[in-house]
Amino acid sequence: MARNLSGVRVDGSAGANGTGGEPVAARRFGQSSFATHAVATERNLVTVDKSLPLELLGPLGCGLQTGAGSVFIALKVRPADAIAVFGAGAVGLAAVMAAKVAGAGEIIAVDLHASRRELALELGATRALDGADPGLADAVGEVDHSFDTTGVPEVIRTAIAVLRPGGSCGLVGAGGGEVTLRPTALAGRTVRFILEGDAVPQQFIPMLIGLWRQGRFPFDRLIRTYPLGGINDAERDSASGATVKPVLLPAS
């Protein structure tokens, strides 16, 4: 947590200074998203083909890796399994695409935005449900796996409630508050919080790129680029659901 979220080095010192020499927290999640240059250690790099577009591959390092890795590695979705994905943003849609590759028999996508539900169906979901439906749990039915990307306590409770005995629920959403459950809600079920899909990036990201090149993981359909000066437009489109994964490009 200190390395990823504190913005400074583990010893508390800053890795960058402002124009006046004052220390600057410049390592949010181990990176500087608005920088034109970055300093990285060899162990944090993933080598890719130089001909591939970096502005397209960048999102593979976090959200898309998390969604796909959770399906392939953490939840171990198998052919004919049923999975419900709550939240059809970049992470959730990556999970949908991965579930299709894994051969899941039923892939249920849940989201508030009709446009994202429609996209989920195009990317492999067998059903897409409105997250605002008061009868959502009944509409989902029973599944082998559920995957929550929202972090919303009520949604998490639904994700657990729809599990069959022996089913597994993966959580990746953050900041939604505490979740209160009766102990019997966990009877025969497994619930865990998943970090980055349990993936090893140097192995997993090249695999995702390979699937993309085969046309089996079309994550490029989620991405829309914006100039850095259009950051407010990117934020607006992301909030409205018009854009699934905005990518900001600094001026060259």
Side-chain angles (χ1 to χ4, degrees):
M1 298 298 288
R3 293 179 187 276
N4 283 332
L5 301 178
S6 70
V8 296
R9 298 187 178 113
V10 177
D11 64 5
S13 62
N17 294 320
T19 55
E22 70 281 6
V24 175
R27 288 175 48 81
R28 169 69 185 178
F29 210 45
Q31 58 188 297
S32 297
S33 299
F34 302 137
T36 56
H37 294 73
V39 177
T41 63
E42 183 178 357
R43 64 177 296 186
N44 290 342
L45 298 177
V46 177
T47 303
V48 299
D49 190 319
K50 291 182 179 180
S51 66
L52 296 177
L54 288 179
E55 69 274 12
L56 184 62
L57 303 186
L60 289 174
C62 187
L64 300 179
Q65 175 180 231
T66 296
S70 293
V71 167
F72 288 136
I73 303 169
L75 297 176
K76 296 181 173 60
V77 175
R78 298 170 298 183
D81 280 356
I83 181 171
V85 177
F86 293 84
V91 179
L93 289 173
V96 166
M97 291 186 285
K100 181 180 180 181
V101 173
E106 187 171 23
I107 305 169
I108 305 162
V110 180
D111 200 88
L112 297 174
H113 296 289
S115 60
R116 294 190 177 186
R117 296 197 298 271
E118 181 179 347
L119 180 56
L121 291 170
E122 295 174 7
L123 294 176
T126 56
R127 288 194 286 144
L129 304 175
D130 186 347
D133 182 354
L136 181 59
D138 290 336
V140 171
E142 286 192 332
V143 294
D144 301 292
H145 309 280
S146 59
F147 183 58
D148 175 71
T149 70
T150 70
V152 177
E154 183 178 355
V155 179
I156 292 174
R157 286 192 290 269
T158 301
I160 296 170
V162 299
L163 289 176
R164 294 186 176 113
S168 58
C169 174
L171 310 175
V172 295
E178 295 184 353
V179 179
T180 302
L181 297 168
R182 294 180 180 274
T184 52
L186 301 177
R189 300 177 174 96
T190 299
V191 180
R192 58 168 299 202
F193 195 94
I194 302 168
L195 293 174
E196 296 295 334
D198 280 359
V200 177
Q202 288 80 2
Q203 300 170 355
F204 193 66
I205 290 178
M207 187 191 88
L208 292 181
I209 292 173
L211 289 171
W212 169 63
R213 284 178 141 174
Q214 296 168 19
R216 301 171 66 198
F217 190 75
F219 70 93
D220 53 300
R221 294 192 58 188
L222 312 183
I223 295 172
R224 179 181 174 186
T225 60
Y226 297 78
L228 185 55
I231 186 171
N232 290 336
D233 296 329
E235 179 71 16
R236 179 200 63 222
D237 292 346
S238 178
S240 71
T243 297
V244 176
K245 186 63 176 178
V247 173
L248 297 169
L249 301 179
S252 58

